[in-house]
Amino acid sequence: MGLATMIIISLQTPAALADSIQTPEMTVVPAGWFWQGSDAIERDYAYRIDEQIYGQDVAHRNRWYDSEITKWRIYLPQFEISTTPVTNAQYAAFVKDAGYPAPGVTKEIWDTYGLVHGFEATRPFTWKKGLPPSGRENHPVVLVSWQDAVAYTHWLSEKTGDSWRLPNEAEWEKAVRGPDGTFYPWGNIYDPTLLNSADRGPFDTMPVKSFPAGPYGLFDGAGQVFEWTMTQQQPGARIVKGGSWDDRGCGVCRPAARHSRPEHLRHILIGFRVLRVSSQDK
């Protein structure tokens, strides 16, 4: 081995490898106070827009939004969070390098979930030979469980030398919503032109950054895909946030909205974004 080769190898520190593994683009959320959760006024608005769209009060009767955190002001230190949900291309680097199973689910497992979507709905999102479906490289990755998302963060930590994890619910909500407690990233009035939801279509994931950014510069925090968080609702279940391309209304697309899903679930509506832990938080 020549000296030049040895020098090149010696320079391949974890940090130097970051670009080669498609490290997610990051956004800094500054330290400070923000309004988390919802009050009766916001929840009533969510129920009313859902009823207007669906022509029934099923959301209100089932008290979908009553479990939201009561609105309060909370301080968070500065943190970095990925600007978009993790994409198929970014996740593919993990699958290739780590030999990790590609996103997918069998019909037998899917049928045990008891979801409204039939197994055929998963086919457009299923990877083949370790590669994402053609043309979807810049779409959010889906069909990943909470454990899969955590495995990706562990891999990023190993490859970059930084510490990575999923955001907790408060971090996710501040990053998407901003400090002022608005119902949506853009304000208090629902606007279906500002997100990927079933109000306008295409009834599918879309390339990230297809809609305007939120208060801190994050994209796709409302609609597009639900996102896993670190926050545990109950043993074996984690909070997901953000709503999806399959939702109308869109009360569930508000950053304050929350519900849990089993950690093992691989769903066509759920992806994730990541947080890089600062040195003082390690």
Side-chain angles (χ1 to χ4, degrees):
M1 182 183 295
L3 178 60
T5 302
M6 293 174 64
I7 292 174
I8 291 172
I9 292 175
S10 69
L11 292 175
Q12 297 303 298
T13 61
L17 290 171
D19 290 340
S20 67
I21 62 167
Q22 297 203 39
T23 304
E25 177 185 352
M26 304 300 288
T27 293
V28 174
V29 177
W33 296 88
F34 85 106
W35 288 101
Q36 182 187 17
S38 64
D39 55 20
I41 294 173
E42 179 176 342
R43 291 191 294 272
D44 181 65
Y45 178 80
Y47 285 131
R48 285 191 290 110
I49 61 173
D50 281 2
E51 184 174 353
Q52 180 180 359
I53 292 295
Y54 290 104
Q56 55 184 336
D57 64 349
V58 62
H60 207 169
R61 283 188 286 108
N62 289 300
R63 304 167 67 91
W64 284 357
Y65 307 130
D66 288 12
S67 65
E68 293 171 12
I69 293 171
T70 300
K71 198 166 190 175
W72 69 318
R73 197 157 168 78
I74 176 176
Y75 180 91
L76 291 180
Q78 177 177 297
F79 60 92
E80 286 184 280
I81 191 169
S82 57
T83 306
T84 73
V86 171
T87 65
N88 281 318
Q90 290 162 350
Y91 198 82
F94 161 57
V95 169
K96 180 179 180 180
D97 183 75
Y100 198 83
V105 64
T106 65
K107 185 178 188 304
E108 290 72 23
I109 292 177
W110 183 263
D111 289 345
T112 68
Y113 295 159
L115 302 171
V116 297
H117 303 86
F119 178 69
E120 66 280 358
T122 69
R123 298 301 83 198
F125 304 96
T126 301
W127 294 33
K128 296 180 180 180
K129 297 183 179 180
L131 297 174
S134 178
R136 293 178 178 267
E137 291 80 5
N138 204 34
H139 288 219
V141 65
V142 294
L143 288 176
V144 286
S145 68
W146 183 83
Q147 289 97 337
D148 295 334
V150 170
Y152 176 81
T153 66
H154 290 169
W155 174 78
L156 274 180
S157 298
E158 177 186 343
K159 289 295 180 179
T160 66
D162 295 327
S163 294
W164 298 76
R165 61 173 171 83
L166 300 180
N168 63 40
E169 182 176 11
E171 292 161 339
W172 188 97
E173 191 170 329
K174 180 180 181 181
V176 169
R177 185 181 204 173
D180 299 329
T182 54
F183 298 178
Y184 295 94
W186 54 82
N188 288 334
I189 304 300
Y190 178 61
D191 185 342
T193 68
L194 297 178
L195 80 169
N196 179 12
S197 74
D199 290 302
R200 299 178 72 241
F203 314 106
D204 195 353
T205 56
M206 298 175 66
V208 298
K209 297 187 178 183
S210 293
F211 296 90
Y216 294 119
L218 264 72
F219 292 85
D220 301 300
Q224 184 80 290
V225 293
F226 283 100
E227 299 176 20
W228 291 112
T229 72
M230 286 295 293
T231 301
Q232 188 177 67
Q233 174 78 346
Q234 57 199 31
R238 303 282 170 162
I239 294 293
V240 295
K241 305 278 281 184
S244 76
W245 55 265
D246 192 51
D247 293 298
R248 292 191 295 156
C250 188
V252 74
C253 300
R254 293 171 301 110
R258 66 198 301 263
H259 63 282
S260 65
R261 286 291 179 261
E263 294 173 354
H264 67 272
L265 181 69
R266 293 187 172 100
H267 201 309
I268 58 176
L269 304 181
I270 303 177
F272 67 101
R273 71 179 73 216
V274 294
L275 183 146
R276 181 162 51 197
V277 182
S278 65
S279 57
Q280 59 263 33
D281 291 334
K282 292 181 182 179

